[in-house]
Amino acid sequence: MRALYQIAFLACILFSCGCSDSNPSPSDDDNVPPPSGTSSFDIITQELSNDLTIDIYVPRVENASGKYPIIYFNDGDVFKGAIASLTSYKFEASSGIEPFIMVGISAAGHRYGRYIPYNDQWIKENWSDYSPGSINYTQRLINEVIPKVEEDYPVDTKRRAIFGFSLSGLYAAWAGINYPEVFSFSASMSPSFWVADYAIFDEPRELSNTRFYFDIGTKEWNYYVPMIESLENLGFRYGKDIFYYEVPGGIHAESDWASRLHIPLGLFLNGTPEEVEGYEIIKECIPSQSTAGLVFQRLNPIVTFTNGIRYSLSTSASFQVVSGDGVVLEDGRFDTKGGSMTVEVSHGNWSEHISLNNCNN
């Protein structure tokens, strides 16, 4: 199934994604200003070494429990705008958001060596030579960053998250899988799962208490659904331990990440959402970035909860052709066989019909 959907990013698109050490900025949105209003955090910058600087975002109110959940952000120097989108949270009781600490960790021009766990010849030939250094970087987090922060601030060590975007999103998933004793939650936004022929899909080896969120925009699309299957095969539960959001129209840009950062934040702080606000079904016609004229046809059912959390039901919804000639696979891929069809999409007590034609009709 994976081979059917592997698409290589065009070099021009990749370089604009901020994956280069020489130009780490993900897009023209790298200077996104923080939202209006007074920040609810004080920001403390500390240089731990010549190539390791951290910004600590400390809330100005105390957590009722006396200890704060904490988020470690990779690419803290590159994605300050996205991180700043969280600083406008107000911690009134009505907000439902408890005070938390954030730590932005600078990439310092070492994105390849820190965030890529695997050898990828394409990257070496087209971007820059590097040596996979994710293990070494993680040891520096464990031995330098985490002790420094958590000695100075009261942290709930059972609620420690790792967040990342693009290449650092790949690292966030890898770290969540390989260091579950360190990170209880992993959030990967537009992660570069394609690195080394999707080697990350083969990483999960055992069940743990870590929970995973990852997403991808349809305008930057790669087929990441197999990551769900890899985790489920070990006993992780979709909608409980795994959350995937296929973002309609989403692009590889800081402004997009900032606009949906509340989703993994809410999942980390509040756990599994319970009260459903509604469902929608998105018909996706996703053009291949490598093969002219090739379009990937998908149904993307999305559930939204009253607290604003939303994610796709790519593998947990049911699809049934009720009229017409065609087929819908269990992950939402469809083919109307050149005609039209009506499909019933259902999940739990919800069901809805959608009429479909092929994207090129």
Side-chain angles (χ1 to χ4, degrees), residues 11-25:
C12 62
I13 295 175
L14 284 167
F15 278 113
S16 71
C17 293
C19 303
S20 163
D21 280 6
S22 61
N23 181 21
S25 191

Side-chain angles (χ1 to χ4, degrees), residues 27-313:
S27 72
D28 291 337
D29 299 308
D30 61 325
N31 292 315
V32 173
S36 59
T38 302
S39 171
S40 298
F41 294 83
D42 290 319
I43 304 176
I44 301 164
T45 300
Q46 296 187 353
E47 186 174 312
L48 304 187
S49 62
N50 290 335
D51 66 343
L52 198 58
T53 300
I54 59 175
D55 294 313
I56 309 172
Y57 297 74
V58 184
R60 292 175 177 160
V61 296
E62 293 185 2
N63 192 304
S65 69
K67 293 187 176 182
Y68 298 93
I70 189 165
I71 303 172
Y72 289 90
F73 278 91
N74 296 305
D75 272 322
D77 49 348
V78 179
F79 302 119
K80 284 189 175 181
I83 296 173
S85 72
L86 297 181
T87 65
S88 63
Y89 275 103
K90 300 293 182 274
F91 299 113
E92 292 90 0
S94 60
S95 71
I97 297 290
E98 65 177 303
F100 59 96
I101 292 175
M102 301 183 287
V103 179
I105 309 161
S106 67
H110 301 292
R111 302 189 74 241
Y112 299 131
R114 289 183 180 178
Y115 301 146
I116 304 179
Y118 320 107
N119 276 302
D120 187 303
Q121 195 61 34
W122 188 94
I123 293 177
K124 291 182 178 182
E125 292 176 355
N126 291 273
W127 290 351
S128 179
D129 195 17
Y130 73 96
S131 295
S134 295
I135 293 176
N136 179 64
Y137 174 58
T138 309
Q139 290 305 310
R140 295 190 69 184
L141 294 184
I142 294 172
N143 296 324
E144 297 179 54
V145 178
I146 291 175
K148 175 59 181 174
V149 174
E150 299 183 10
E151 286 172 6
D152 293 343
Y153 303 96
V155 169
D156 183 351
T157 59
K158 294 182 179 179
R159 301 175 69 193
R160 187 189 290 133
I162 183 76
F163 278 46
F165 315 81
S166 193
L167 284 176
S168 67
L170 168 67
Y171 170 82
W174 178 89
I177 292 168
N178 288 282
Y179 295 87
E181 72 282 4
V182 179
F183 302 110
S184 63
F185 188 87
S186 165
S188 303
M189 305 186 75
S190 300
S192 301
F193 284 172
W194 52 266
V195 168
D197 194 24
Y198 304 85
I200 190 70
F201 294 167
D202 298 324
E203 279 282 355
R205 297 182 182 90
E206 61 183 4
L207 183 64
S208 71
N209 292 323
T210 302
R211 299 163 66 237
F212 296 88
Y213 168 88
F214 61 99
D215 61 32
I216 192 75
T218 57
K219 290 190 176 180
E220 55 168 343
W221 192 70
N222 270 277
Y223 185 59
Y224 287 171
V225 172
M227 188 62 169
I228 300 173
E229 183 181 1
S230 295
L231 292 165
E232 284 184 326
N233 286 341
L234 296 175
F236 291 90
R237 300 158 298 169
Y238 194 76
K240 300 290 185 181
D241 312 306
I242 319 163
F243 305 89
Y244 167 62
Y245 183 27
E246 196 161 288
V247 187
I251 61 175
H252 205 86
E254 185 180 336
S255 55
D256 266 39
W257 301 327
S259 71
R260 62 181 188 265
L261 198 50
H262 67 282
I263 298 176
L265 174 69
L267 289 169
F268 170 53
L269 294 177
N270 299 329
T272 303
E274 295 181 355
E275 189 174 350
V276 173
E277 181 177 271
Y279 294 84
E280 61 181 319
I281 309 169
I282 306 295
K283 174 188 174 182
E284 296 176 345
C285 299
I286 306 172
S288 169
Q289 299 181 47
S290 58
T291 305
L294 178 61
V295 175
F296 299 102
Q297 304 184 153
R298 291 175 53 73
L299 286 179
N300 178 16
I302 296 171
V303 58
T304 301
F305 295 83
T306 53
N307 61 359
I309 290 174
R310 62 197 330 244
Y311 57 87
S312 297
L313 302 171

Side-chain angles (χ1 to χ4, degrees), residues 337-359:
K337 305 297 184 182
S340 62
M341 64 179 174
T342 299
V343 176
E344 181 182 62
V345 183
S346 59
H347 183 263
N349 295 324
W350 165 79
S351 66
E352 186 174 320
H353 288 181
I354 182 171
S355 298
L356 295 174
N357 294 95
N358 281 343
C359 292

